[in-house]
Amino acid sequence: KYSFASMTTFPFFVTLSSSSPAHSRNLPENYGADLSKTGDISKLVPIISMKESLLSAKSLLSKSRNDMKNSNISTEDAKALLDLISRCTKTYIPENESDFKKIFDEYSDPIGYKEKFMDNNAFLVYYTNGYDGPNRKKLEDSSYVSKQSLQYGARNDAWSAWNDVLSEISYIRKSSNVFGSASTSSSLYVDSTYEDVLEPLTKTLG
Protein backbone atom coordinates (compact mmCIF):
# COMPACT_ATOMS: atom_id res chain seq x y z
CA LYS A 1 0.00 0.00 0.00
CA TYR A 2 1.27 3.48 -0.83
CA SER A 3 0.37 6.69 0.91
CA PHE A 4 0.19 10.30 -0.20
CA ALA A 5 3.68 10.62 1.26
CA SER A 6 5.00 7.92 -1.06
CA MET A 7 3.74 9.88 -4.05
CA THR A 8 6.12 12.71 -3.23
CA THR A 9 9.29 10.60 -3.30
CA PHE A 10 9.03 9.44 -6.75
CA PRO A 11 11.87 7.19 -12.75
CA PHE A 12 9.37 4.45 -14.24
CA PHE A 13 9.72 1.32 -16.29
CA VAL A 14 7.83 -1.94 -16.20
CA THR A 15 10.02 -5.01 -16.30
CA LEU A 16 9.41 -7.62 -18.94
CA SER A 17 9.13 -11.22 -17.80
CA SER A 18 11.17 -13.74 -19.75
CA SER A 19 8.06 -15.86 -20.10
CA SER A 20 6.02 -13.10 -21.71
CA PRO A 21 5.90 -12.32 -25.43
CA ALA A 22 7.68 -9.21 -26.69
CA HIS A 23 5.40 -6.20 -26.87
CA SER A 24 5.33 -2.48 -26.25
CA ARG A 25 5.94 -1.53 -22.64
CA ASN A 26 3.02 0.88 -22.70
CA LEU A 27 4.40 3.79 -20.71
CA PRO A 28 1.87 5.75 -18.63
CA GLU A 29 -0.52 7.91 -20.60
CA ASN A 30 0.38 11.56 -20.97
CA TYR A 31 -2.28 13.66 -19.23
CA GLY A 32 -0.83 17.00 -20.36
CA ALA A 33 1.13 17.71 -17.21
CA ASP A 34 3.51 20.67 -17.15
CA LEU A 35 6.85 19.01 -16.39
CA SER A 36 8.88 22.21 -16.21
CA LYS A 37 8.78 22.31 -12.41
CA THR A 38 8.72 18.67 -11.33
CA GLY A 39 9.78 18.31 -7.71
CA ASP A 40 9.18 22.00 -7.06
CA ILE A 41 7.35 22.91 -3.85
CA SER A 42 4.74 24.81 -5.87
CA LYS A 43 3.69 21.50 -7.45
CA LEU A 44 3.48 19.80 -4.06
CA VAL A 45 1.06 22.35 -2.63
CA PRO A 46 -1.99 21.06 -4.61
CA ILE A 47 -1.31 17.51 -3.38
CA ILE A 48 -1.13 18.69 0.25
CA SER A 49 -4.38 20.64 -0.25
CA MET A 50 -6.03 17.49 -1.56
CA LYS A 51 -4.83 15.54 1.45
CA GLU A 52 -6.10 18.13 3.93
CA SER A 53 -9.54 18.16 2.27
CA LEU A 54 -9.77 14.37 2.41
CA LEU A 55 -8.71 14.33 6.05
CA SER A 56 -11.49 16.80 6.86
CA ALA A 57 -14.08 14.52 5.26
CA LYS A 58 -12.64 11.47 7.02
CA SER A 59 -12.68 13.27 10.38
CA LEU A 60 -16.34 14.23 9.94
CA LEU A 61 -17.42 10.67 9.17
CA SER A 62 -15.17 8.96 11.71
CA LYS A 63 -16.40 11.08 14.61
CA SER A 64 -20.05 10.66 13.68
CA ARG A 65 -19.65 6.91 13.12
CA ASN A 66 -18.27 6.52 16.63
CA ASP A 67 -21.02 8.68 18.17
CA MET A 68 -23.97 7.18 16.29
CA LYS A 69 -25.70 3.93 17.18
CA ASN A 70 -26.99 3.59 13.63
CA SER A 71 -24.43 2.51 11.02
CA ASN A 72 -26.23 4.48 8.31
CA ILE A 73 -25.17 8.04 7.67
CA SER A 74 -27.46 10.56 9.33
CA THR A 75 -29.22 13.08 7.13
CA GLU A 76 -27.38 15.87 8.94
CA ASP A 77 -23.99 14.28 8.25
CA ALA A 78 -24.98 13.55 4.66
CA LYS A 79 -25.72 17.23 4.10
CA ALA A 80 -22.38 18.23 5.61
CA LEU A 81 -20.55 15.57 3.60
CA LEU A 82 -22.14 16.56 0.30
CA ASP A 83 -21.32 20.21 0.96
CA LEU A 84 -17.72 19.38 1.88
CA ILE A 85 -17.13 17.13 -1.13
CA SER A 86 -18.72 19.74 -3.40
CA ARG A 87 -16.28 22.37 -2.15
CA CYS A 88 -13.38 19.92 -2.52
CA THR A 89 -14.16 19.11 -6.15
CA LYS A 90 -14.55 22.80 -7.00
CA THR A 91 -11.23 23.80 -5.47
CA TYR A 92 -8.72 21.03 -4.75
CA ILE A 93 -9.73 17.57 -5.97
CA PRO A 94 -10.71 16.99 -9.62
CA GLU A 95 -13.64 14.74 -10.46
CA ASN A 96 -12.14 13.42 -13.69
CA GLU A 97 -9.22 11.02 -14.04
CA SER A 98 -6.97 13.07 -16.30
CA ASP A 99 -7.02 16.21 -14.14
CA PHE A 100 -6.58 14.16 -10.97
CA LYS A 101 -3.52 12.28 -12.25
CA LYS A 102 -2.11 15.41 -13.87
CA ILE A 103 -1.64 16.98 -10.44
CA PHE A 104 0.63 14.14 -9.32
CA ASP A 105 2.46 13.94 -12.65
CA GLU A 106 3.42 17.61 -12.45
CA TYR A 107 5.28 16.98 -9.18
CA SER A 108 6.74 13.57 -10.07
CA ASP A 109 9.94 12.63 -11.87
CA PRO A 110 9.18 12.55 -15.62
CA ILE A 111 9.78 9.52 -17.82
CA GLY A 112 13.51 9.38 -18.60
CA TYR A 113 15.40 8.59 -21.79
CA LYS A 114 16.10 5.03 -20.69
CA GLU A 115 12.43 4.25 -20.14
CA LYS A 116 11.49 5.77 -23.49
CA PHE A 117 14.24 3.80 -25.25
CA MET A 118 13.12 0.54 -23.67
CA ASP A 119 9.51 1.24 -24.60
CA ASN A 120 10.40 1.98 -28.23
CA ASN A 121 12.69 -1.05 -28.42
CA ALA A 122 10.75 -3.54 -26.31
CA PHE A 123 11.18 -6.29 -28.91
CA LEU A 124 14.97 -5.89 -28.93
CA VAL A 125 15.23 -5.60 -25.15
CA TYR A 126 13.16 -8.74 -24.69
CA TYR A 127 15.11 -10.96 -27.07
CA THR A 128 18.53 -9.74 -25.88
CA ASN A 129 17.43 -10.12 -22.26
CA GLY A 130 18.28 -6.46 -21.68
CA TYR A 131 21.86 -6.76 -22.94
CA ASP A 132 23.56 -3.36 -23.06
CA GLY A 133 27.13 -4.26 -23.98
CA PRO A 134 30.07 -6.09 -22.38
CA ASN A 135 30.75 -5.35 -18.71
CA ARG A 136 27.62 -3.21 -18.52
CA LYS A 137 24.57 -3.78 -16.37
CA LYS A 138 21.46 -5.17 -18.05
CA LEU A 139 18.94 -2.56 -19.13
CA GLU A 140 16.47 -4.04 -16.71
CA ASP A 141 16.57 -6.05 -13.53
CA SER A 142 13.48 -8.07 -12.63
CA SER A 143 14.19 -7.59 -8.92
CA TYR A 144 14.34 -3.80 -9.19
CA VAL A 145 11.26 -1.66 -8.60
CA SER A 146 11.81 1.94 -9.63
CA LYS A 147 10.52 5.01 -7.85
CA GLN A 148 8.31 5.82 -10.81
CA SER A 149 6.76 2.36 -10.70
CA LEU A 150 5.74 3.02 -7.10
CA GLN A 151 4.68 6.54 -7.95
CA TYR A 152 2.38 5.65 -10.82
CA GLY A 153 0.98 2.71 -8.88
CA ALA A 154 0.14 4.92 -5.90
CA ARG A 155 -1.35 7.60 -8.14
CA ASN A 156 -3.55 5.07 -9.94
CA ASP A 157 -4.68 3.48 -6.66
CA ALA A 158 -5.54 6.91 -5.26
CA TRP A 159 -7.65 7.75 -8.32
CA SER A 160 -9.45 4.40 -8.21
CA ALA A 161 -10.37 4.92 -4.55
CA TRP A 162 -11.38 8.56 -5.07
CA ASN A 163 -13.57 7.52 -7.98
CA ASP A 164 -15.30 5.07 -5.63
CA VAL A 165 -15.88 7.91 -3.17
CA LEU A 166 -17.42 10.05 -5.90
CA SER A 167 -19.68 7.16 -6.96
CA GLU A 168 -20.94 6.75 -3.40
CA ILE A 169 -21.49 10.50 -3.04
CA SER A 170 -23.41 10.51 -6.31
CA TYR A 171 -25.59 7.67 -5.03
CA ILE A 172 -26.34 9.52 -1.79
CA ARG A 173 -27.20 12.70 -3.67
CA LYS A 174 -29.54 10.93 -6.10
CA SER A 175 -31.19 8.40 -3.81
CA SER A 176 -31.64 10.43 -0.64
CA ASN A 177 -33.72 13.53 -0.10
CA VAL A 178 -31.16 14.94 2.31
CA PHE A 179 -32.19 18.52 1.66
CA GLY A 180 -35.87 17.83 2.26
CA SER A 181 -37.65 18.13 5.60
CA ALA A 182 -37.16 15.19 7.95
CA SER A 183 -40.80 14.49 8.77
CA THR A 184 -40.36 10.81 9.65
CA SER A 185 -37.79 8.85 11.61
CA SER A 186 -36.78 6.93 8.52
CA SER A 187 -35.67 10.16 6.83
CA LEU A 188 -33.14 10.79 9.59
CA TYR A 189 -30.74 8.44 7.82
CA VAL A 190 -29.68 7.79 4.24
CA ASP A 191 -29.23 4.37 2.66
CA SER A 192 -25.43 4.50 2.66
CA THR A 193 -23.42 3.57 5.75
CA TYR A 194 -20.47 5.43 7.17
CA GLU A 195 -18.17 2.60 6.09
CA ASP A 196 -19.47 2.84 2.49
CA VAL A 197 -17.73 6.20 2.25
CA LEU A 198 -14.97 5.83 4.84
CA GLU A 199 -13.44 2.72 3.25
CA PRO A 200 -12.64 4.22 -0.19
CA LEU A 201 -11.87 7.58 1.42
CA THR A 202 -9.22 5.92 3.61
CA LYS A 203 -7.80 4.09 0.59
CA THR A 204 -7.53 7.39 -1.27
CA LEU A 205 -5.33 8.72 1.51
CA GLY A 206 -3.25 5.53 1.39
mmCIF file of all heavy atoms in Angstrom, residues 168-201:
data_model
loop_
_atom_site.group_PDB
_atom_site.id
_atom_site.type_symbol
_atom_site.label_atom_id
_atom_site.label_comp_id
_atom_site.label_asym_id
_atom_site.label_seq_id
_atom_site.Cartn_x
_atom_site.Cartn_y
_atom_site.Cartn_z
ATOM 1 N N GLU A 168 -20.099 6.873 -4.596
ATOM 2 C CA GLU A 168 -20.942 6.754 -3.401
ATOM 3 C C GLU A 168 -21.630 8.079 -3.098
ATOM 4 O O GLU A 168 -22.813 8.109 -2.728
ATOM 5 C CB GLU A 168 -20.098 6.309 -2.211
ATOM 6 C CG GLU A 168 -20.913 5.839 -1.019
ATOM 7 C CD GLU A 168 -21.765 4.616 -1.320
ATOM 8 O OE1 GLU A 168 -21.280 3.705 -2.032
ATOM 9 O OE2 GLU A 168 -22.929 4.571 -0.849
ATOM 10 N N ILE A 169 -20.910 9.171 -3.274
ATOM 11 C CA ILE A 169 -21.488 10.499 -3.041
ATOM 12 C C ILE A 169 -22.613 10.758 -4.040
ATOM 13 O O ILE A 169 -23.667 11.309 -3.695
ATOM 14 C CB ILE A 169 -20.407 11.593 -3.175
ATOM 15 C CG1 ILE A 169 -19.375 11.463 -2.057
ATOM 16 C CG2 ILE A 169 -21.039 12.973 -3.169
ATOM 17 C CD1 ILE A 169 -19.941 11.582 -0.665
ATOM 18 N N SER A 170 -22.392 10.352 -5.279
ATOM 19 C CA SER A 170 -23.412 10.514 -6.313
ATOM 20 C C SER A 170 -24.656 9.717 -5.960
ATOM 21 O O SER A 170 -25.791 10.181 -6.145
ATOM 22 C CB SER A 170 -22.860 10.053 -7.670
ATOM 23 O OG SER A 170 -23.833 10.155 -8.679
ATOM 24 N N TYR A 171 -24.456 8.517 -5.427
ATOM 25 C CA TYR A 171 -25.593 7.666 -5.031
ATOM 26 C C TYR A 171 -26.379 8.319 -3.898
ATOM 27 O O TYR A 171 -27.624 8.348 -3.919
ATOM 28 C CB TYR A 171 -25.073 6.297 -4.583
ATOM 29 C CG TYR A 171 -26.153 5.420 -3.989
ATOM 30 C CD1 TYR A 171 -27.091 4.795 -4.811
ATOM 31 C CD2 TYR A 171 -26.242 5.243 -2.607
ATOM 32 C CE1 TYR A 171 -28.098 4.007 -4.272
ATOM 33 C CE2 TYR A 171 -27.240 4.457 -2.056
ATOM 34 C CZ TYR A 171 -28.165 3.841 -2.889
ATOM 35 O OH TYR A 171 -29.169 3.058 -2.352
ATOM 36 N N ILE A 172 -25.673 8.861 -2.918
ATOM 37 C CA ILE A 172 -26.340 9.523 -1.790
ATOM 38 C C ILE A 172 -27.139 10.721 -2.278
ATOM 39 O O ILE A 172 -28.285 10.937 -1.872
ATOM 40 C CB ILE A 172 -25.298 9.972 -0.740
ATOM 41 C CG1 ILE A 172 -24.641 8.754 -0.093
ATOM 42 C CG2 ILE A 172 -25.965 10.844 0.332
ATOM 43 C CD1 ILE A 172 -23.500 9.106 0.861
ATOM 44 N N ARG A 173 -26.542 11.487 -3.158
ATOM 45 C CA ARG A 173 -27.196 12.698 -3.667
ATOM 46 C C ARG A 173 -28.466 12.362 -4.455
ATOM 47 O O ARG A 173 -29.482 13.052 -4.344
ATOM 48 C CB ARG A 173 -26.222 13.479 -4.549
ATOM 49 C CG ARG A 173 -26.802 14.785 -5.089
ATOM 50 C CD ARG A 173 -25.791 15.531 -5.932
ATOM 51 N NE ARG A 173 -24.717 16.099 -5.132
ATOM 52 C CZ ARG A 173 -23.461 15.711 -5.175
ATOM 53 N NH1 ARG A 173 -23.095 14.741 -6.002
ATOM 54 N NH2 ARG A 173 -22.541 16.281 -4.420
ATOM 55 N N LYS A 174 -28.411 11.281 -5.246
ATOM 56 C CA LYS A 174 -29.542 10.929 -6.103
ATOM 57 C C LYS A 174 -30.627 10.131 -5.385
ATOM 58 O O LYS A 174 -31.810 10.269 -5.694
ATOM 59 C CB LYS A 174 -29.048 10.121 -7.309
ATOM 60 C CG LYS A 174 -28.179 10.926 -8.269
ATOM 61 C CD LYS A 174 -27.681 10.054 -9.413
ATOM 62 C CE LYS A 174 -26.810 10.850 -10.371
ATOM 63 N NZ LYS A 174 -26.287 10.000 -11.492
ATOM 64 N N SER A 175 -30.231 9.299 -4.437
ATOM 65 C CA SER A 175 -31.194 8.398 -3.808
ATOM 66 C C SER A 175 -31.791 8.922 -2.512
ATOM 67 O O SER A 175 -32.795 8.410 -2.036
ATOM 68 C CB SER A 175 -30.532 7.042 -3.533
ATOM 69 O OG SER A 175 -29.499 7.173 -2.573
ATOM 70 N N SER A 176 -31.170 9.947 -1.941
ATOM 71 C CA SER A 176 -31.636 10.434 -0.643
ATOM 72 C C SER A 176 -32.068 11.893 -0.731
ATOM 73 O O SER A 176 -31.361 12.729 -1.276
ATOM 74 C CB SER A 176 -30.521 10.300 0.400
ATOM 75 O OG SER A 176 -29.987 8.992 0.410
ATOM 76 N N ASN A 177 -33.210 12.161 -0.120
ATOM 77 C CA ASN A 177 -33.723 13.531 -0.103
ATOM 78 C C ASN A 177 -33.136 14.247 1.111
ATOM 79 O O ASN A 177 -33.845 14.645 2.035
ATOM 80 C CB ASN A 177 -35.252 13.507 -0.033
ATOM 81 C CG ASN A 177 -35.843 14.912 -0.117
ATOM 82 O OD1 ASN A 177 -35.231 15.817 -0.681
ATOM 83 N ND2 ASN A 177 -37.025 15.088 0.457
ATOM 84 N N VAL A 178 -31.819 14.390 1.122
ATOM 85 C CA VAL A 178 -31.157 14.939 2.309
ATOM 86 C C VAL A 178 -31.446 16.418 2.520
ATOM 87 O O VAL A 178 -31.255 16.942 3.618
ATOM 88 C CB VAL A 178 -29.628 14.743 2.222
ATOM 89 C CG1 VAL A 178 -29.280 13.277 2.236
ATOM 90 C CG2 VAL A 178 -29.055 15.414 0.995
ATOM 91 N N PHE A 179 -31.907 17.097 1.499
ATOM 92 C CA PHE A 179 -32.192 18.519 1.656
ATOM 93 C C PHE A 179 -33.692 18.782 1.835
ATOM 94 O O PHE A 179 -34.143 19.916 1.840
ATOM 95 C CB PHE A 179 -31.658 19.300 0.467
ATOM 96 C CG PHE A 179 -30.163 19.267 0.376
ATOM 97 C CD1 PHE A 179 -29.532 18.480 -0.572
ATOM 98 C CD2 PHE A 179 -29.394 19.994 1.266
ATOM 99 C CE1 PHE A 179 -28.148 18.436 -0.646
ATOM 100 C CE2 PHE A 179 -28.013 19.960 1.203
ATOM 101 C CZ PHE A 179 -27.391 19.169 0.247
ATOM 102 N N GLY A 180 -34.446 17.688 1.987
ATOM 103 C CA GLY A 180 -35.869 17.832 2.258
ATOM 104 C C GLY A 180 -36.106 17.889 3.757
ATOM 105 O O GLY A 180 -35.192 17.761 4.561
ATOM 106 N N SER A 181 -37.341 18.068 4.171
ATOM 107 C CA SER A 181 -37.646 18.132 5.597
ATOM 108 C C SER A 181 -37.718 16.722 6.162
ATOM 109 O O SER A 181 -38.289 15.815 5.550
ATOM 110 C CB SER A 181 -38.988 18.848 5.820
ATOM 111 O OG SER A 181 -40.023 18.167 5.134
ATOM 112 N N ALA A 182 -37.143 16.514 7.314
ATOM 113 C CA ALA A 182 -37.158 15.194 7.947
ATOM 114 C C ALA A 182 -38.441 15.046 8.751
ATOM 115 O O ALA A 182 -38.502 15.343 9.927
ATOM 116 C CB ALA A 182 -35.944 15.054 8.860
ATOM 117 N N SER A 183 -39.492 14.584 8.122
ATOM 118 C CA SER A 183 -40.797 14.491 8.771
ATOM 119 C C SER A 183 -41.018 13.139 9.432
ATOM 120 O O SER A 183 -41.883 12.985 10.271
ATOM 121 C CB SER A 183 -41.902 14.739 7.735
ATOM 122 O OG SER A 183 -41.776 13.819 6.657
ATOM 123 N N THR A 184 -40.209 12.139 9.057
ATOM 124 C CA THR A 184 -40.357 10.810 9.651
ATOM 125 C C THR A 184 -39.008 10.343 10.153
ATOM 126 O O THR A 184 -37.967 10.823 9.731
ATOM 127 C CB THR A 184 -40.882 9.789 8.617
ATOM 128 O OG1 THR A 184 -39.908 9.652 7.582
ATOM 129 C CG2 THR A 184 -42.190 10.256 8.010
ATOM 130 N N SER A 185 -39.023 9.357 11.038
ATOM 131 C CA SER A 185 -37.789 8.853 11.609
ATOM 132 C C SER A 185 -36.905 8.207 10.550
ATOM 133 O O SER A 185 -35.691 8.248 10.644
ATOM 134 C CB SER A 185 -38.098 7.832 12.715
ATOM 135 O OG SER A 185 -38.877 6.756 12.192
ATOM 136 N N SER A 186 -37.548 7.613 9.555
ATOM 137 C CA SER A 186 -36.779 6.934 8.516
ATOM 138 C C SER A 186 -35.964 7.907 7.681
ATOM 139 O O SER A 186 -34.963 7.539 7.083
ATOM 140 C CB SER A 186 -37.713 6.125 7.596
ATOM 141 O OG SER A 186 -38.625 6.984 6.954
ATOM 142 N N SER A 187 -36.385 9.175 7.636
ATOM 143 C CA SER A 187 -35.674 10.160 6.830
ATOM 144 C C SER A 187 -34.491 10.761 7.578
ATOM 145 O O SER A 187 -33.818 11.632 7.071
ATOM 146 C CB SER A 187 -36.630 11.277 6.397
ATOM 147 O OG SER A 187 -37.087 12.005 7.523
ATOM 148 N N LEU A 188 -34.261 10.294 8.830
ATOM 149 C CA LEU A 188 -33.138 10.795 9.593
ATOM 150 C C LEU A 188 -31.820 10.174 9.132
ATOM 151 O O LEU A 188 -30.747 10.622 9.514
ATOM 152 C CB LEU A 188 -33.337 10.496 11.089
ATOM 153 C CG LEU A 188 -34.506 11.225 11.763
ATOM 154 C CD1 LEU A 188 -34.617 10.791 13.216
ATOM 155 C CD2 LEU A 188 -34.319 12.740 11.668
ATOM 156 N N TYR A 189 -31.930 9.126 8.319
ATOM 157 C CA TYR A 189 -30.737 8.437 7.822
ATOM 158 C C TYR A 189 -30.854 8.185 6.321
ATOM 159 O O TYR A 189 -31.945 8.045 5.785
ATOM 160 C CB TYR A 189 -30.543 7.098 8.545
ATOM 161 C CG TYR A 189 -30.412 7.232 10.040
ATOM 162 C CD1 TYR A 189 -31.521 7.109 10.872
ATOM 163 C CD2 TYR A 189 -29.173 7.502 10.626
ATOM 164 C CE1 TYR A 189 -31.404 7.247 12.246
ATOM 165 C CE2 TYR A 189 -29.037 7.639 11.999
ATOM 166 C CZ TYR A 189 -30.168 7.513 12.808
ATOM 167 O OH TYR A 189 -30.049 7.656 14.168
ATOM 168 N N VAL A 190 -29.702 8.127 5.663
ATOM 169 C CA VAL A 190 -29.682 7.795 4.244
ATOM 170 C C VAL A 190 -29.348 6.314 4.096
ATOM 171 O O VAL A 190 -29.006 5.642 5.072
ATOM 172 C CB VAL A 190 -28.635 8.650 3.494
ATOM 173 C CG1 VAL A 190 -28.960 10.126 3.630
ATOM 174 C CG2 VAL A 190 -27.232 8.371 3.997
ATOM 175 N N ASP A 191 -29.451 5.803 2.885
ATOM 176 C CA ASP A 191 -29.229 4.371 2.662
ATOM 177 C C ASP A 191 -27.768 3.954 2.857
ATOM 178 O O ASP A 191 -27.470 2.830 3.249
ATOM 179 C CB ASP A 191 -29.667 3.982 1.242
ATOM 180 C CG ASP A 191 -31.179 4.067 1.074
ATOM 181 O OD1 ASP A 191 -31.886 3.998 2.098
ATOM 182 O OD2 ASP A 191 -31.629 4.217 -0.074
ATOM 183 N N SER A 192 -26.851 4.836 2.560
ATOM 184 C CA SER A 192 -25.433 4.503 2.656
ATOM 185 C C SER A 192 -24.948 4.500 4.111
ATOM 186 O O SER A 192 -25.420 5.280 4.938
ATOM 187 C CB SER A 192 -24.596 5.503 1.856
ATOM 188 O OG SER A 192 -24.916 5.447 0.484
ATOM 189 N N THR A 193 -24.002 3.622 4.412
ATOM 190 C CA THR A 193 -23.424 3.574 5.749
ATOM 191 C C THR A 193 -22.156 4.423 5.805
ATOM 192 O O THR A 193 -21.612 4.825 4.777
ATOM 193 C CB THR A 193 -23.058 2.124 6.147
ATOM 194 O OG1 THR A 193 -21.981 1.667 5.312
ATOM 195 C CG2 THR A 193 -24.255 1.204 5.981
ATOM 196 N N TYR A 194 -21.700 4.667 7.002
ATOM 197 C CA TYR A 194 -20.468 5.434 7.166
ATOM 198 C C TYR A 194 -19.294 4.710 6.513
ATOM 199 O O TYR A 194 -18.437 5.328 5.889
ATOM 200 C CB TYR A 194 -20.184 5.667 8.655
ATOM 201 C CG TYR A 194 -21.096 6.701 9.268
ATOM 202 C CD1 TYR A 194 -22.237 6.323 9.978
ATOM 203 C CD2 TYR A 194 -20.834 8.070 9.126
ATOM 204 C CE1 TYR A 194 -23.090 7.277 10.541
ATOM 205 C CE2 TYR A 194 -21.677 9.030 9.676
ATOM 206 C CZ TYR A 194 -22.805 8.624 10.376
ATOM 207 O OH TYR A 194 -23.644 9.577 10.906
ATOM 208 N N GLU A 195 -19.271 3.381 6.654
ATOM 209 C CA GLU A 195 -18.175 2.601 6.088
ATOM 210 C C GLU A 195 -18.186 2.630 4.559
ATOM 211 O O GLU A 195 -17.139 2.488 3.925
ATOM 212 C CB GLU A 195 -18.247 1.151 6.577
ATOM 213 C CG GLU A 195 -17.783 0.960 8.011
ATOM 214 C CD GLU A 195 -16.359 1.450 8.219
ATOM 215 O OE1 GLU A 195 -15.501 1.219 7.354
ATOM 216 O OE2 GLU A 195 -16.120 2.098 9.265
ATOM 217 N N ASP A 196 -19.379 2.791 3.960
ATOM 218 C CA ASP A 196 -19.470 2.845 2.492
ATOM 219 C C ASP A 196 -18.625 3.983 1.937
ATOM 220 O O ASP A 196 -18.095 3.884 0.819
ATOM 221 C CB ASP A 196 -20.931 3.040 2.050
ATOM 222 C CG ASP A 196 -21.763 1.785 2.248
ATOM 223 O OD1 ASP A 196 -21.181 0.687 2.291
ATOM 224 O OD2 ASP A 196 -23.006 1.915 2.347
ATOM 225 N N VAL A 197 -18.510 5.052 2.693
ATOM 226 C CA VAL A 197 -17.727 6.204 2.245
ATOM 227 C C VAL A 197 -16.332 6.203 2.869
ATOM 228 O O VAL A 197 -15.345 6.525 2.210
ATOM 229 C CB VAL A 197 -18.435 7.536 2.590
ATOM 230 C CG1 VAL A 197 -17.619 8.725 2.086
ATOM 231 C CG2 VAL A 197 -19.836 7.565 1.996
ATOM 232 N N LEU A 198 -16.253 5.803 4.132
ATOM 233 C CA LEU A 198 -14.973 5.828 4.836
ATOM 234 C C LEU A 198 -13.945 4.878 4.228
ATOM 235 O O LEU A 198 -12.753 5.195 4.154
ATOM 236 C CB LEU A 198 -15.174 5.473 6.306
ATOM 237 C CG LEU A 198 -15.454 6.635 7.256
ATOM 238 C CD1 LEU A 198 -15.796 6.116 8.643
ATOM 239 C CD2 LEU A 198 -14.251 7.579 7.322
ATOM 240 N N GLU A 199 -14.387 3.706 3.785
ATOM 241 C CA GLU A 199 -13.443 2.720 3.253
ATOM 242 C C GLU A 199 -12.688 3.245 2.030
ATOM 243 O O GLU A 199 -11.452 3.247 2.021
ATOM 244 C CB GLU A 199 -14.154 1.406 2.916
ATOM 245 C CG GLU A 199 -13.210 0.328 2.415
ATOM 246 C CD GLU A 199 -13.897 -0.995 2.168
ATOM 247 O OE1 GLU A 199 -15.087 -1.132 2.504
ATOM 248 O OE2 GLU A 199 -13.240 -1.908 1.613
ATOM 249 N N PRO A 200 -13.396 3.695 0.967
ATOM 250 C CA PRO A 200 -12.642 4.217 -0.186
ATOM 251 C C PRO A 200 -11.938 5.536 0.118
ATOM 252 O O PRO A 200 -10.888 5.829 -0.462
ATOM 253 C CB PRO A 200 -13.730 4.412 -1.252
ATOM 254 C CG PRO A 200 -14.998 4.558 -0.502
ATOM 255 C CD PRO A 200 -14.848 3.662 0.696
ATOM 256 N N LEU A 201 -12.499 6.305 1.056
ATOM 257 C CA LEU A 201 -11.866 7.575 1.423
ATOM 258 C C LEU A 201 -10.510 7.311 2.089
ATOM 259 O O LEU A 201 -9.509 7.984 1.799
ATOM 260 C CB LEU A 201 -12.773 8.332 2.384
ATOM 261 C CG LEU A 201 -12.381 9.779 2.737
ATOM 262 C CD1 LEU A 201 -12.322 10.631 1.484
ATOM 263 C CD2 LEU A 201 -13.381 10.365 3.731
#
